[in-house]
């Protein structure tokens, strides 16, 4: 069951009082974070909070950090395990786009159950018709503007694929709708730089820092000829890509993918104080969920 | 005072029960419309409703048209005059981007007071660093994803300008953050086609149909050398642009701008059944508000 945090209160009720002039709802004027909770602890909690605070700062939303920390700690402790989503909007305001001078950000969060067989499960991708706009703050920060992702996901799902792969407006590889993209090629692990219009993913940062990942702009053709392609996000962790459009990829058997998965899972167990077996079915048959 | 419509109820209270799993809030997964109400009537009501229903259809949000019509009629009749904003979100759903199979759209609206001296008032523009993404549905439909507009508006406001001018990802002129852009040049009135990444504005359609406007892609340089530049939206109506960045424009004295304004105001008075003098100070000194 999903539990909710609003105004210092934890509840199982999704419905609660809300200000219908909130700019988060009316304009998508807000940011959020999604994190994995296991053993009552948020994996990479400081990295998640730093990213959320960076995004709020970039939007000039003056949010009280201690209140966000209290919200996160309260839900993580209550839930034990799940997917934590923490949201900060600019709060209520009068008509118009210009941010109001008074700052009253809205903070709310939820802890949802972990879906079965999501972590480490493989994915199929198709290239979206919508491009990712690398000039927009919505490409670099996790904002409430996710309609491109919704529409692209609905379109590829209809064609039988799991996730949409976004090129940026320059025609190079950016990311998927919900994760960062990596390729392994000639023993290297490569992902596009943030300037290509990608989110600074927490697992992306882990792969760069702990698994020898490197940043370099990527052409779509490089994905088709890669040894492996994988997607990272805080719930899927490391998801090997078995297909992009009509092209099959042997990503599930790639040594670099296996090694990254092992290293990440060890870090998750260490940091969350749990002791679960390494999910050794890289096809997703055995996962934490 | 702003009045609100939710679940068939009109209220002066901004705060009301809301489902915190609503995808409109969490993902910007919804659309809206802004319209001018005078004399208890919505100007071009059928065009506004058609556009809102088109947008909902494009997003595959199955909304009951009669419920939206009831919402609009109720607020317009109650308010007499103001700015009507009608919102339709995809409604609540579980985690994830993929739209849920069950359709429970959320409908809510507000009628806000008309701000003083906004209709027909002149504007200054500055070119935004953020580009408008013509490949995205958010550029062609009035969706809840307005963060680019918020950020660009905040940036140009800090530099002393009223509105942000967006180029699209191909580097051509798209629109401003809240309106369509027109130039007059050699007796012609020209605006970019929808494919350039612009909203199908209701006043834009009026200028095309009733004032001899034409569609053609526009380069930024054409704005600087135009006889006049003006912005249209449902609240500003026809707003002459007096400056773009460092370049001054004589838009307030342009005959085509004056004629468009006159024709539009006549249509507004006819359709809303009011008889207010034509605001004859194109500098915005005398307006309907």
């Amino acid at each position: 069951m999903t539990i909710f945090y609003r105004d210092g209160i934890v509840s199982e009720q999704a419905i609660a009082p809300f200000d219908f002039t909130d700019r988060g709802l009316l304009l998508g004027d807000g940011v959020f974070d999604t994190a994995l909770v296991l053993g009552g602890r948020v994996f990479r909690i400081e990295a998640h909070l730093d990213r959320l605070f960076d995004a709020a700062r970039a939007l000039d939303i003056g949010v009280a950090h201690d209140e966000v920390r209290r919200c996160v700690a309260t839900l993580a402790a209550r839930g034990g395990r799940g997917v934590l989503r923490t949201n900060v909007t600019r709060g209520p305001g009068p008509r118009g786009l210009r941010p109001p001078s008074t700052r009253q950000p809205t903070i709310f969060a939820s802890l949802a159950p972990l879906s079965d067989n999501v972590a480490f499960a493989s994915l199929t991708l198709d290239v979206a018709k919508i491009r990712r706009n690398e000039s927009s703050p919505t490409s670099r920060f996790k904002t409430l503007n996710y309609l491109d992702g919704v529409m692209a996901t609905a379109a590829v799902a209809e064609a039988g694929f799991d996730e949409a792969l976004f090129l940026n407006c320059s025609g190079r590889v950016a990311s998927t709708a919900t994760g960062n993209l990596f390729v392994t090629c000639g023993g290297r692990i490569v992902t596009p730089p943030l300037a290509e219009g990608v989110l600074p993913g927490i697992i992306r940062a882990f792969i760069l820092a702990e698994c020898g990942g490197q940043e370099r702009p990527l052409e779509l053709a490089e994905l088709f000829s890669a040894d492996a392609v994988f997607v990272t996000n805080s719930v899927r962790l490391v998801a090997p890509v078995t297909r992009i459009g009509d092209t099959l990829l042997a990503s599930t058997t790639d040594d670099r993918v296996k090694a990254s998965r092992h290293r990440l899972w060890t870090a998750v167990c260490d940091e969350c104080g749990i002791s679960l077996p390494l999910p050794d079915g890289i096809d997703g048959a055995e996962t934490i969920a």
Side-chain angles (χ1 to χ4, degrees), chain A residues 91-103:
Chain A
R95 276 196 72 249
L97 296 186
R98 205 178 293 197
S101 51
T102 56
R103 294 174 170 190

Side-chain angles (χ1 to χ4, degrees), chain A residues 66-244:
Chain A
D66 55 348
E67 197 178 333
V68 175
R69 286 182 176 276
R70 193 159 49 238
C71 163
V72 167
T74 303
L75 275 188
R78 281 285 289 266
R81 55 182 280 164
V83 181
L84 175 69
R85 178 174 161 142
T86 311
N87 311 272
V88 179
T89 83
R90 199 184 303 276
R95 276 196 72 249
L97 296 186
R98 205 178 293 197
S101 51
T102 56
R103 294 174 170 190
Q104 314 169 59
T106 302
I107 300 169
F108 61 99
S110 61
L111 186 75
L114 273 174
S115 305
D116 284 350
N117 299 323
V118 167
F120 299 121
S122 61
L123 289 175
T124 60
L125 309 181
D126 201 14
V127 179
K129 291 205 174 71
I130 301 169
R131 296 293 181 95
R132 197 165 167 100
N133 183 2
E134 64 267 35
S135 79
S136 165
T138 65
S139 74
R140 297 188 303 278
F141 303 108
K142 210 164 169 67
T143 78
L144 299 174
N145 293 231
Y146 255 74
L147 188 59
D148 283 353
V150 169
M151 298 296 284
T153 301
V156 303
E158 196 160 342
F161 294 89
D162 298 317
E163 272 262 318
L165 188 168
F166 282 112
L167 305 181
N168 64 22
C169 289
S170 305
R172 290 186 298 272
V173 172
S175 64
T176 73
T178 67
N180 292 108
L181 256 173
F182 285 81
V183 305
T184 75
C185 190
R188 292 181 182 226
I189 300 181
V190 179
T191 195
L194 298 182
E196 295 289 88
V198 308
L199 290 182
I202 305 302
I203 306 302
R204 176 184 184 274
F206 182 92
I207 301 292
L208 290 174
E210 309 283 335
C211 305
Q214 300 173 327
E215 292 178 302
R216 171 169 75 70
L218 285 171
E219 302 292 338
L220 181 58
E222 295 183 80
L223 270 58
F224 294 127
S225 62
D227 294 331
V229 175
F230 61 97
V231 172
T232 60
N233 77 26
S234 291
V235 180
R236 298 190 180 281
L237 299 176
V238 169
V241 173
T242 55
R243 189 176 159 192
I244 303 176

